[in-house]
Amino acid sequence: MTPSRLHLLIDTDPGVDDALAILMAHAQAEVAALTVAAGNVGLAHTVANALKLVEHAGAATPVHAGCATPLVLPAADAAFVHGSDGFGDVGYVPASTRASAEHAANAIVRLARERPGELTLVALAPLTNLALALRLDPALPTRIRRLVVMGGAVTGRGNFERVPTEFNIGFDPEAAHVVFANWPQFELVDWEACVRHALPFARFDALLAGAGERARFYAAISAKARAFNAANGRGGMVVADALAMAVALEPALVRRVERRHVGIELAGTLTRGATVVDWEGRNGQAPNASIVLEVDQARFEALVARGLGLAQAT
Ligand code: RIB
Ligand code: CA
């Protein structure tokens, strides 16, 4: 029996790894909408990048602009990884389409109400839009089939200036607190798992050597981020959002997962935005996160290849 088609709602801040995740999603699922946040770069760029990706995917996916800033405190972007425009500063021709006039948070609430129990929400950005949607509709979790979050660093090895913190959480800790404290059960793909499941550079380069237009586009926009990964001692190309998307698309590729309570530190000078995991079950709070610890790497890479328009991993 062929599995029923997956229906996704993707919150994103494209960004190079978001781009790969979004191409993967369009290659094998129905994407109800892209809701866009600021994060990797400013909102104007992340929206333009989302529109361009939809064009490259040959889709008509609605794009909704969301929050231009974190909920409380300002935060620095990640242009040093992704390029000033978020897509390697290649100067691509902008898409001819425009974003919807409907705010991302309102679109999340509306789509969940229109399609109760149907949508898998994949959160690939700072959680600002999702936090606002939760405040608008506290019953949102009851209407969403699955929530898969790319974020956090479950043993404190983050990628942010506050060392235990990961970017998506550190950019808007208050938003992450609202989501983690009010979403009873979600799946968490943290930075440390993404580092463990980096794409070996040789494999990444082979995938991008593919003849297709999608591979060529991705090779161009990811060149700066690839150089950053290689220059910063990473064992391969860390495509965090692509791993989270793979978990959303094919849950069976998860090999090891542990359910724990995860809270967000909001006040620490050195730790604001850290994901604090109750590994020993000491704080008496019910587990809220299924922490993905290991996936089937070959199946992950096959989904990446498919997203780049290659029939199977090369
Ligand atoms: O820490 C990695 C996450 O932050 C990814 O989602 C990346 O796109 C950035 O948003
Ligand atoms: Ca992202």
Side-chain angles (χ1 to χ4, degrees), residues 15 18 57 64 96 102-103 139 145 147 151 177 209 212 240 251 259 311:
D18 301 72
H64 298 266
S96 55
E102 184 182 30
H103 190 281
R145 185 184 187 90
L147 170 62
H177 168 74
R259 289 186 35 66

Side-chain angles (χ1 to χ4, degrees), residues 13-198:
D13 61 331
V16 165
D17 58 325
D18 301 72
L20 184 51
I22 290 165
L23 291 174
M24 290 164 64
H26 282 90
Q28 62 183 80
E30 182 255 337
V31 182
L34 299 182
T35 54
V36 185
N40 282 316
V41 288
L43 187 66
H45 283 306
T46 55
V47 170
N49 294 344
L51 291 166
K52 190 64 181 177
L53 283 168
V54 169
E55 181 183 86
H56 263 287
T61 308
V63 171
H64 298 266
C67 299
T69 64
L71 292 185
V72 178
L73 297 177
D77 67 21
F80 65 95
V81 177
H82 299 266
S84 303
D85 70 353
F87 269 12
D89 299 320
V90 299
Y92 64 78
V93 175
S96 55
T97 51
R98 296 171 62 85
S100 162
E102 184 182 30
H103 190 281
N106 290 327
I108 293 169
V109 169
R110 173 181 55 80
L111 285 164
R113 286 197 167 129
E114 288 173 356
R115 305 173 65 170
E118 186 182 328
L119 297 174
T120 293
L121 177 49
V122 192
L124 306 176
L127 293 167
T128 318
N129 292 334
L130 190 49
L132 280 187
L134 258 177
R135 289 306 194 212
L136 289 169
D137 180 10
L140 182 63
T142 68
R143 306 185 218 282
I144 292 291
R145 185 184 187 90
R146 290 169 64 202
L147 170 62
V148 180
V149 175
M150 191 282 130
V154 296
T155 68
R157 298 194 65 167
N159 61 1
F160 206 65
E161 66 262 21
R162 296 186 296 275
V163 168
T165 300
E166 174 277 331
F167 180 84
N168 281 342
I169 310 299
F171 188 87
D172 195 341
E174 283 73 22
H177 168 74
V178 168
V179 174
F180 280 44
N182 294 284
W183 206 291
Q185 310 283 338
F186 57 91
E187 297 158 69
L188 186 63
V189 179
D190 84 314
W191 175 254
E192 297 168 25
C194 297
V195 171
R196 290 194 297 274
H197 287 288

